[in-house]
Amino acid sequence: MIIGILGAGQLARMLALAGKPLGLKFIFLDPTPESCAADLGKHLIGDYTDKALLTQFAAEADIITYEFENVPVEIIHFLAESTPVYPPEKALAVSQDRITEKQFCRNLGIPTAAFATVSSLADLEQAMTSIGYPAILKTRRFGYDGKGQVVLRKAQDLADAWDAVQNAPCVVESFVPFDREVSIIASRSVSGHTVYYPLSENTHEKGILRLAKNTLRDPLQAQAEQMINTLLTALDYVGTIALELFAVDDQLIVNEFAPRVHNSGHWTIEGSETSQFENHLRAIIDWPLGATNSIGYAAMQNFIGGVPSSNKLLSLSQVHLHLYDKAARKGRKIAHATARTDSLENFTDLIALLTELAKQSDDS
Ligand code: AMP
């Protein structure tokens, strides 16, 4: 069976690495010639809007999926006329616009931060009278890893913030005073069978994920599963999904969801019975899904802009290194390492070591 993936970055690479043992073959469509998944399958190089290339891609793939959520919905629509595409178009459309996404969650009874639509500086000034400080102004579309976001601390910040987003349609939302940031990842198959991963506890800096670690028996697990199940059902979802949440006391508040495999689930490769990547493939093919229980403690550290030497990392015998075969560039995720162990004490030490090593090589 041939799986087509739009995008050939590290997520596509990890999907292909998970699919090879299952006998799957891959075709990627990505405009960048030196894409890091390219040597794991056939690579069609060209623009995502090239109809002839899309037609060839759809003809060669048995099932199509994507590794990033900024794929234009029209492209998914076009491909789906001839070949099944998962996750479904609706999930992509909802997640691409922060306002639509928040409204969708609200309508399902899933809590979000207070928010308002902003199309002008006057809108922003008006909205801030009810949202209150601090708050965050975010572009509605094409924002990721904290890009297209400005923190608002006082009324004097508004004009500069509006300049910074360059008149793009925005959402302004209240700053959530969270105790923790967590995410829940789930996979749902074509037949509707759903599995949930243990909550991941995530640390971000400058809006970028740095560290994600599994939780064992988190008190908020049931609440998160209920939320994501509501979302999966409403979207008639197929594939792996990630829901990013803020934990405030014993309440979860949705930040956003990603209709794809997610950086906060990379620890599932070594830390779970079945990884998020393998379950995504099993879900879209409609094969039975694998168990999602954790195998001990697991934490993933991202390496951004630079990576410590392999020798140094691999001298930690419970650390597993994933180099993405991407050129180092400031602010670019180029590798991650996962620590996996059965001892909590050892876990804490390994996280501290990885964090320190990442700081030394970080160039973000
Ligand atoms: P996002 O691009 O929306 O995922 O935001 C990136 C990061 O910025 C989040 O993971 C949080 O650390 C922070 N952030 C975003 N929105 C809020 C908010 N409303 N309240 C507090 N922190 C936020």
Side-chain angles (χ1 to χ4, degrees), residues 98 136 138 149 173-176 181 204 246 255-256:
R98 290 186 190 273
I136 306 190
K138 300 180 179 178
Q149 296 191 14
E173 60 186 62
S174 61
F175 189 90
V176 178
E181 283 194 82
H204 294 80
F246 300 121
N255 179 23
E256 59 181 353

Side-chain angles (χ1 to χ4, degrees), residues 22-23 44 100 113 135 141 167 225 239 304 337 356:
L22 296 170
L44 301 184
T100 318
R141 302 175 76 88
N167 276 322
E225 286 188 15
I304 300 171
E356 186 49 39

Side-chain angles (χ1 to χ4, degrees), residues 98 101-102 113-114 134-136 138 143-147 149 173-178 181 202-209 244-246 253-256 262:
R98 290 186 190 273
E101 186 180 39
K102 285 183 201 302
I136 306 190
K138 300 180 179 178
Y144 67 97
D145 282 350
K147 291 185 175 64
Q149 296 191 14
E173 60 186 62
S174 61
F175 189 90
V176 178
F178 55 81
E181 283 194 82
N202 307 324
T203 308
H204 294 80
E205 271 169 44
K206 297 184 212 149
I208 305 182
L209 182 71
E244 293 184 56
L245 301 155
F246 300 121
I253 294 171
V254 167
N255 179 23
E256 59 181 353
H262 194 254

Side-chain angles (χ1 to χ4, degrees), residues 28-239:
F28 309 98
L29 173 54
D30 192 303
T32 313
E34 62 280 7
S35 296
C36 73
D39 56 359
L40 291 161
K42 182 167 174 177
H43 182 195
L44 301 184
I45 302 168
D47 202 87
Y48 293 118
T49 53
D50 180 337
K51 282 275 164 70
L53 206 61
L54 288 169
T55 304
Q56 182 191 347
F57 178 64
E60 291 194 36
D62 296 301
I63 301 171
I64 291 172
T65 187
Y66 44 89
E67 67 154 6
F68 64 109
E69 63 268 41
N70 286 330
V71 189
V73 174
E74 309 79 68
I75 288 171
I76 298 301
H77 196 77
F78 176 77
L79 292 168
E81 281 170 10
S82 58
T83 308
V85 183
Y86 302 117
E89 198 179 310
K90 185 171 175 187
L92 193 66
V94 172
S95 72
Q96 281 180 350
D97 181 332
R98 290 186 190 273
I99 293 283
T100 318
E101 186 180 39
K102 285 183 201 302
Q103 268 158 358
F104 193 80
C105 289
R106 281 267 177 101
N107 292 342
L108 293 170
I110 301 174
T112 69
F115 68 93
T117 306
V118 172
S119 310
S120 65
L121 179 56
D123 279 358
L124 179 59
E125 285 164 349
Q126 173 61 32
M128 286 312 294
T129 60
S130 57
I131 300 278
Y133 294 92
I136 306 190
L137 181 68
K138 300 180 179 178
T139 54
R140 284 176 72 158
R141 302 175 76 88
F142 305 120
Y144 67 97
D145 282 350
K147 291 185 175 64
Q149 296 191 14
V150 192
V151 177
L152 310 171
R153 299 191 191 283
K154 51 188 184 315
Q156 290 72 17
D157 293 343
L158 301 190
D160 284 350
W162 185 247
D163 275 353
V165 296
Q166 298 175 336
N167 276 322
C170 281
V171 56
V172 64
E173 60 186 62
S174 61
F175 189 90
V176 178
F178 55 81
D179 307 313
R180 296 187 292 154
E181 283 194 82
V182 297
S183 56
I184 183 160
I185 292 177
S187 305
R188 185 172 188 262
S189 70
V190 176
S191 313
H193 179 219
T194 304
V195 289
Y196 309 93
Y197 285 87
L199 284 183
S200 176
E201 209 174 279
N202 307 324
T203 308
H204 294 80
E205 271 169 44
K206 297 184 212 149
I208 305 182
L209 182 71
R210 304 283 156 155
L211 182 77
K213 58 181 180 176
N214 69 345
T215 60
L216 305 178
R217 292 174 291 283
D218 194 287
L220 299 180
Q221 181 74 28
Q223 196 183 133
E225 286 188 15
Q226 201 179 9
M227 281 182 183
I228 205 165
N229 186 44
T230 304
L231 197 58
L232 289 169
T233 310
L235 294 168
D236 201 12
Y237 197 84
V238 174

